[in-house]
Amino acid sequence: MDSEVGPLRAVLLHRPGNELKRLTPRNNDQLLFDSIPWVDRAQAEHDAFAEVLRSRGVDVLLLADALRTALEDDRAHAAGVHAAVDDRRLGGDLADSLRSHLSGVDAAGLAEVLMAGMTFEELPSAEGASLVRMMNHPHDFAVDPLPNLLFTRDSSVWIADRVAVSSLTMPARRRETAVLDLIYAYHPQFRHAARAYGAHSAPIEGGDVMLLAPGVLAIGVGERTTAAGAESLARSVFADGIAHTVLAVPIEQSRATMHLDTVCTMVDADAVVMYPLARDLLTAFTLRPTGDGGVKVAGPAPFLVAAAEAMEIDRLRVIDTGLDPVTAEREQWDDGNNTLALAPGVVVGYERNVETNERLEAAGIEVLPIAGSELGSGRGGPRCMSCPVRRDPL
């Protein structure tokens, strides 16, 4: 896969499940949600999103199905049990009890625990006293749920024919990488996929990684991806020969701009939809290989200038979010910039971003609108909710 806009052929999605039912007013901030979603509606909205993709010829693989298939392998099952049980949280005796219990459940049962977590009330009964069990509220989590699995773009990203498993920054999301590692290591479809990056490397998240053109990556550096992560991924893709230029793009460290794809996404081979305030403020450091295993860094320069130069085009067309500063700010918050391209000039976007969608249509971009009143409660749009696995070359 060499771009963000080549015809999309296969994608990894996660249909919201019981992990969203774990969200309460007490824990939603810690679990990175702005509100408590109506789960049935979120599932209906996600089903409609998946159907739009299928109607355009995209093969949709659901993460939960992929995880259950992977866990049928005994080695994956053992690794899944290890990933679920935290001795430091539970203490040795309780951890051993839970480990023994999970070792005996089937693939579907283990997958559910890995995704939806487990409360102390749901722990298997154990002989003897446990101070940990007694001092925790029955509804506290012995195994944390993973409600952000919905945003599959963040936890892994495909670059050329390799997959980069993200090193997620926020504590609420770190165990997601274990789930993706299991899928990519043991699911028959991915068993032979080479890795471009590992989950134990410096922090980098897929929402910050953008394939601008064949061999050209942009990596946002901000709240979730560090400079060390951007440099480490650059060195990896240079060593693998799957990129020749990486643009490291500093972005504001805030909830509204947690990833590069919250302010800018590709909508055509030479066009982006971009938050107007970012147009003149975004800069980029240009990284290229030295030929002897090193990396040379130039810049910073204006992002749009550096991107056009790296892509070898005259300029990158920019379509602004909204029509005025207030509308732009509102629609940026509502993921107006977070579109998923199904082909050059064809994107999926949230229907509520009316003015941004009108701007896209006026610029010749076909917008396939989807509802997202509940899906967006975790701060993510169609791009965040999809990990493209295969695209045709441009």
Side-chain angles (χ1 to χ4, degrees):
M1 188 160 58
D2 63 5
S3 78
E4 295 284 332
V5 298
L8 183 60
R9 298 304 180 202
V11 68
L12 179 67
L13 305 183
H14 177 58
R15 185 179 190 266
N18 289 328
E19 67 279 355
L20 286 194
K21 295 180 180 179
R22 302 291 203 180
L23 292 165
T24 70
R26 289 187 300 111
N27 65 29
N28 69 297
D29 285 344
Q30 179 184 352
L31 293 174
L32 309 179
F33 271 67
D34 292 328
S35 62
I36 310 302
W38 179 8
V39 178
D40 289 348
R41 178 63 60 82
Q43 290 175 330
E45 290 174 351
H46 195 273
D47 290 344
F49 172 43
E51 188 53 39
V52 167
L53 302 186
R54 294 188 183 101
S55 72
R56 293 297 179 114
V58 181
D59 180 21
V60 175
L61 176 65
L62 295 178
L63 184 147
D65 294 341
L67 179 59
R68 286 188 286 266
T69 298
L71 290 173
E72 294 290 348
D73 187 297
D74 289 342
R75 297 166 298 171
H77 196 284
V81 172
H82 178 76
V85 181
D86 185 346
D87 290 71
R88 292 175 298 176
R89 170 178 291 194
L90 300 177
D93 290 345
L94 196 55
D96 286 344
S97 174
L98 178 57
R99 200 175 284 114
S100 176
H101 167 73
L102 292 178
S103 294
V105 304
D106 62 14
L110 180 56
E112 183 66 13
V113 172
L114 286 169
M115 295 183 293
M118 177 178 277
T119 65
F120 280 91
E121 183 179 54
E122 296 165 343
L123 286 174
S125 58
E127 295 180 3
S130 168
L131 179 65
V132 178
R133 186 194 290 265
M134 294 174 65
M135 291 191 68
N136 275 277
H137 188 279
H139 294 160
D140 288 341
F141 295 118
V143 180
D144 284 332
L146 298 177
N148 294 280
L149 276 175
L150 172 65
F151 306 118
T152 55
R153 174 67 190 218
D154 293 337
S155 47
S156 68
V157 55
W158 286 77
I159 306 169
D161 60 349
R162 296 171 179 261
V163 63
V165 176
S166 302
S167 176
L168 296 164
T169 302
M170 307 301 281
R173 302 199 66 178
R174 286 177 187 159
R175 196 166 54 80
E176 289 180 43
T177 57
V179 171
L180 272 298
D181 266 331
L182 288 171
I183 290 171
Y184 289 128
Y186 295 103
H187 191 281
Q189 183 172 332
F190 304 119
R191 191 168 289 156
H192 302 295
R195 300 293 179 94
Y197 203 70
H200 302 292
S201 305
I204 195 160
E205 300 197 359
D208 280 315
V209 180
M210 195 170 300
L211 285 65
L212 295 179
V216 182
L217 304 184
I219 303 176
V221 176
E223 185 189 54
R224 305 293 179 88
T225 295
T226 65
E231 182 175 350
S232 295
L233 180 57
R235 290 180 180 275
S236 177
V237 295
F238 293 157
D240 291 336
I242 55 178
H244 57 74
T245 305
V246 169
L247 304 180
V249 185
I251 56 176
E252 182 183 355
Q253 297 192 35
S254 71
R255 177 73 169 154
T257 58
M258 71 180 79
H259 292 127
L260 180 59
D261 68 7
T262 63
V263 296
C264 174
T265 50
M266 298 284 293
V267 296
D268 205 341
D270 65 344
V272 295
V273 58
M274 179 178 282
Y275 184 40
L277 288 180
R279 176 199 284 262
D280 298 321
L281 295 179
L282 282 187
T283 60
F285 294 87
T286 300
L287 285 68
R288 291 190 172 94
T290 59
D292 58 2
V295 173
K296 56 185 177 183
V297 183
F303 168 70
L304 294 174
V305 174
E309 179 183 342
M311 297 167 70
E312 298 182 344
I313 60 177
D314 291 336
R315 67 182 182 89
L316 196 57
R317 289 191 293 134
V318 178
I319 302 160
D320 288 341
T321 316
L323 293 173
D324 58 76
V326 172
T327 302
E329 185 176 3
R330 285 170 55 86
E331 297 202 359
Q332 185 274 329
W333 178 261
D334 283 338
D335 299 299
N337 302 105
N338 196 262
T339 60
L340 170 67
L342 303 190
V346 181
V347 303
V348 181
Y350 280 149
E351 64 183 1
R352 64 181 177 230
N353 295 307
V354 175
E355 295 188 10
T356 298
N357 293 344
E358 288 178 353
R359 278 185 175 268
L360 287 165
E361 294 277 6
I365 308 299
E366 181 185 2
V367 179
L368 306 175
I370 63 168
S373 60
E374 300 303 314
L375 291 175
S377 59
R379 292 290 298 126
R383 186 180 192 269
C384 288
M385 294 189 297
S386 53
C387 175
V389 172
R390 189 173 72 254
R391 289 184 184 272
D392 289 344
L394 280 178

